Amino acid sequence: MKALILVGGYGTRLRPLTLSCAKPLVEFGNKPMLLHQLEALVDLGVKISMSLETEPLGTAGPLALAKDYLMQDNEPFFVLNSDIICDFPFKEMVKFHKHHGKEGTIVVTKVDEPSKYGVVVYDYENGRIQKFVEKPQEYVSNKINAGMYIFNSSILQRIPDPSAKIGNNCRIGPNVTIGPNVVIEDGVCIKRCTILNGAHIRSHSWLDSCIIGWKCVVGRWVRMENVSVLGEDVSVKDELYINGGRILPHKSISDSVPEPQIIM
Amino acid sequence: MLEFHKTKPSGTYCTILGTEATRTQSLEYGCIVENKETHEVLHYVEKPETYISTTINCGIYLFSPAIFKPLETIFKKNLEENYNFDLNTPSKEIIRLEQDILIPLAGTSKLFVYDTTRFWSQIKSSGAAIYANRHYLAIFQDTHPERLAKNGKGKPTIIGDVSIDPTADVHPSAVLGPNVTIGKHVTVGEGVRVRESIILEGATLQDHCCILYSVIGWNSSVGVWTRVEGTPNDPNPNKPFAKLATMPTFTNDGKLNPSITVIGSNVQIPSEVVIINSIVLPDKSLSGSYKNQIIL
């Protein structure tokens, strides 16, 4: 079997120890937290390898990163948060997971004050999860996510590939949101903008403080600034300058808009 | 012009190169009334107030050495008329070609006009530089095709007529033209776009910048993603014989007339700014965007 341990985060709540040492390496019983987990996994016959994120990817990102490795066989795999300590009931987890035959298993644990946590609501007979409730104000369940999971490798297909494409030599940011299916070609500079679903920004353009609507096409060497807003499916021809232009949907712009104005 | 002049009777003093202008624009030039068959100049007037003729003086003359005789006469006459005893005011030792020579010679059968229908323009404003650049590059197609850049693998994309000095360093991802001249030791970065512009010696165009209808001066630098743009002031293409109009620098209400953008020598333009319809004097280091301004 395989296992993925999610090591990362800034460990701010374990300061001052984490100012000197990464959280999974803080020792309990003269062994780092991580080592307690690794030893429990090795007892189960799990082999160890490592993949490194170059930037924080959230909690599901590392799964996508290790996708090829985890897909090598059709075996289920463990996922562990690195900051949990317990007696690791791995054998029981495997038995339970194989028994219900579904895609994933989450270990839950009982807590006294569920209003402090994200709780899991499930059927007591078969363990099927109904919902997750974050910090419930009314009692719904006293079981919380214990940070240990088993998944079938098929779960990896549920993690969406990022659909936006960004070319080489671009400078994106600060404060830029790029929507799904957006294409940004080479050498584009975007600052303080929202680029909506399916828009296409061609090479060497420069955008600051703009909203680019759905399915718009912005040509090459276009300069847009000063809260220019393109409605849906607007096309802006190459080499134009749009200064504070508000452009209604489905327009094709072939002349510069040098001063703020609404194009109907 | 020389062959035309040689066919004229001996004793002919001068042939003027003439071209056709529109009725309105002819008033800004020297106007020539000619005998349409012999091309003898019948009448000459400099910048008339009312319409005289659409044949105008191009400012190119072919003289026979015999011209020195009337020149001598005029010179002495001017001296006599302006003679004075006041040592502080110099006497007028000048001859004005149009007023003193051409006007008196008109109608004497000794002055002729040779008409051309080929490209001719006066260079009076900065806007004319882009117009002249375009025409000279077009002439290269016939006279010096080797001076025009061609498309090829690993070379920048060329649209229309473009001249690139062999010492210039142009990135293959740049797109140049039409009507662009890149001078000696110019550096053109990645993904740069230049159209209808002149880039003078030693200038640097940094990555992704866009230069339209502008002149970039010697050793000047344009930052990344910066846009330098001017407004063309071409003759009306729908009017036959229309010439490049000489626009006043300012409008009646004191605003700068939109024209091509001219960047003087050794000017630093920062990254990500826009410079539109502006004139920047030499050695300036700009700090932001400018529109319709003269930056002193």
Side-chain angles (χ1 to χ4, degrees):
Chain A
M1 282 190 80
K2 295 190 173 71
L4 189 73
I5 301 176
L6 305 172
V7 183
Y10 298 105
T12 51
R13 285 173 296 187
L14 214 63
R15 282 180 186 168
L17 298 177
T18 47
L19 293 172
S20 309
C21 169
K23 186 162 75 170
L25 300 179
V26 174
E27 290 159 319
F28 295 95
N30 279 333
K31 273 185 207 168
M33 261 196 275
L34 191 61
L35 195 59
H36 286 286
Q37 294 188 336
L38 290 172
E39 284 182 355
L41 289 167
V42 169
D43 283 348
L44 203 69
V46 169
K47 286 195 178 133
I48 296 162
S49 66
M50 194 179 83
S51 81
L52 175 70
E53 294 177 352
T54 51
E55 55 192 305
L57 295 172
T59 46
L63 269 72
L65 201 66
K67 188 172 178 177
D68 292 341
Y69 181 73
L70 295 170
M71 294 276 274
Q72 276 170 3
D73 48 46
N74 276 328
E75 284 275 293
F77 58 89
F78 289 102
V79 175
L80 304 179
N81 291 354
S82 63
D83 58 353
I84 50 155
I85 46 165
C86 64
D87 59 358
F88 302 111
F90 293 136
K91 287 196 177 105
E92 294 84 343
M93 283 171 73
V94 174
K95 197 176 159 197
F96 177 81
H97 182 73
K98 290 199 169 150
H99 179 254
H100 68 63
K102 300 291 193 292
E103 218 168 346
T105 300
I106 297 178
V107 178
V108 294
T109 188
K110 193 174 135 186
V111 291
D112 291 335
E113 292 184 63
S115 62
K116 289 181 182 173
Y117 302 91
V119 302
V120 183
V121 182
Y122 61 95
D123 294 339
Y124 283 99
E125 290 95 65
N126 57 15
R128 191 174 63 90
I129 295 167
Q130 292 169 353
K131 58 180 173 181
F132 299 90
V133 184
E134 194 59 32
K135 296 192 176 82
Q137 295 304 299
E138 298 279 325
Y139 179 88
V140 283
S141 164
N142 59 358
K143 304 295 191 299
I144 65 159
N145 178 356
M148 285 185 282
Y149 320 81
I150 297 186
F151 294 116
N152 291 351
S153 55
S154 61
I155 196 97
L156 296 167
Q157 271 138 24
R158 293 177 181 270
I159 300 171
D161 284 329
S163 58
K165 291 187 174 58
I166 296 178
N168 298 321
N169 297 331
C170 289
R171 193 202 289 167
I172 312 283
N175 303 328
V176 171
T177 304
I178 292 176
N181 307 307
V182 166
V183 177
I184 313 272
E185 294 186 5
D186 294 347
V188 171
C189 179
I190 306 179
K191 307 155 110 174
R192 296 171 279 272
C193 286
T194 293
I195 316 292
L196 296 174
N197 195 341
H200 186 154
I201 314 295
R202 303 208 57 208
S203 298
H204 313 299
S205 284
W206 183 93
L207 283 67
D208 184 2
S209 306
C210 296
I211 302 174
I212 307 300
W214 311 271
K215 292 180 261 172
C216 285
V217 179
V218 174
R220 303 192 296 167
W221 291 286
V222 167
R223 181 187 178 96
M224 289 183 58
E225 61 186 322
N226 196 12
V227 200
S228 290
V229 182
L230 303 186
E232 184 183 3
D233 180 38
V234 167
S235 83
V236 177
K237 294 245 154 62
D238 289 354
E239 299 161 28
L240 297 183
Y241 172 46
I242 310 292
N243 174 19
R246 313 292 171 89
I247 296 162
L248 271 70
H250 313 295
K251 298 294 291 182
S252 178
I253 302 297
S254 50
D255 290 307
S256 287
V257 182
E259 296 301 330
Q261 82 179 92
I262 297 168
I263 309 281
M264 308 281 276
Chain B
M1 194 176 174
L2 182 59
E3 310 223 311
F4 171 89
H5 188 73
K6 281 178 181 164
T7 64
K8 296 302 148 201
S10 61
T12 296
Y13 286 136
C14 175
T15 296
I16 308 171
L17 187 68
T19 194
E20 185 92 15
T22 64
R23 283 176 72 103
T24 327
Q25 288 187 333
S26 68
L27 307 185
E28 297 160 25
Y29 298 90
C31 292
I32 298 163
V33 182
E34 63 174 319
N35 178 326
K36 286 285 173 197
E37 277 154 36
T38 64
H39 300 290
E40 185 196 332
V41 176
L42 302 175
H43 183 71
Y44 185 94
V45 59
E46 191 62 20
K47 298 189 181 73
E49 282 177 20
T50 54
Y51 168 71
I52 304 291
S53 163
T54 54
T55 302
I56 60 164
N57 177 357
C58 290
I60 296 178
Y61 310 92
L62 184 55
F63 290 106
S64 302
I67 191 69
F68 290 109
K69 195 74 201 159
L71 280 185
E72 186 190 351
T73 316
I74 300 278
F75 183 75
K76 285 179 175 162
K77 183 164 161 271
N78 276 354
L79 265 187
E80 257 170 49
E81 281 178 4
N82 297 303
Y83 189 76
N84 59 56
F85 295 95
D86 178 3
L87 292 172
N88 293 323
T89 359
S91 52
K92 284 190 173 173
E93 293 182 345
I94 58 164
I95 310 172
R96 295 161 304 172
L97 184 64
E98 291 85 357
Q99 285 86 341
D100 295 333
I101 310 290
L102 302 180
I103 290 172
L105 282 183
T108 64
S109 308
K110 291 185 182 297
L111 185 62
F112 289 83
V113 58
Y114 174 70
D115 292 296
T116 180
T117 51
R118 285 153 70 175
F119 149 62
W120 178 85
S121 178
Q122 236 181 351
I123 304 293
K124 286 253 164 145
S125 65
S126 54
I130 299 300
Y131 178 81
N133 185 47
R134 176 159 77 236
H135 281 90
Y136 273 107
L137 291 173
I139 288 171
F140 284 171
Q141 286 176 15
D142 295 325
T143 61
H144 298 88
E146 76 284 355
R147 290 184 188 169
L148 295 175
K150 289 174 189 66
N151 280 298
K153 212 182 162 198
K155 289 181 177 178
T157 304
I158 304 296
I159 301 165
D161 296 337
V162 175
S163 170
I164 304 176
D165 189 273
T167 61
D169 178 14
V170 182
H171 194 275
S173 62
V175 180
L176 310 177
N179 307 317
V180 166
T181 298
I182 306 284
K184 283 179 189 152
H185 305 293
V186 164
T187 305
V188 178
E190 209 173 308
V192 166
R193 178 75 178 103
V194 187
R195 178 157 60 88
E196 302 281 356
S197 295
I198 301 170
I199 314 300
L200 294 172
E201 183 170 345
T204 301
L205 307 181
Q206 295 181 46
D207 298 354
H208 319 294
C209 72
C210 181
I211 315 289
L212 310 170
Y213 292 100
S214 299
V215 178
I216 308 295
W218 304 272
N219 303 312
S220 286
S221 162
V222 178
V224 297
W225 281 297
T226 280
R227 181 184 181 92
V228 179
E229 181 181 7
T231 301
N233 182 25
D234 287 348
N236 184 348
N238 301 318
K239 259 192 161 171
F241 311 117
K243 304 276 175 272
L244 198 64
T246 309
M247 297 266 285
T249 310
F250 298 100
T251 58
N252 288 336
D253 50 350
K255 287 192 178 135
L256 196 62
N257 254 325
S259 71
I260 69 157
T261 288
V262 185
I263 309 295
S265 76
N266 198 29
V267 168
Q268 311 298 315
I269 302 177
S271 293
E272 302 182 48
V273 300
V274 57
I275 311 291
I276 295 186
N277 301 339
S278 293
I279 293 166
V280 182
L281 269 68
D283 305 309
K284 299 299 309 179
S285 188
L286 303 186
S287 56
S289 295
Y290 291 91
K291 292 174 190 175
N292 306 307
Q293 286 189 50
I294 297 179
I295 299 146
L296 297 170

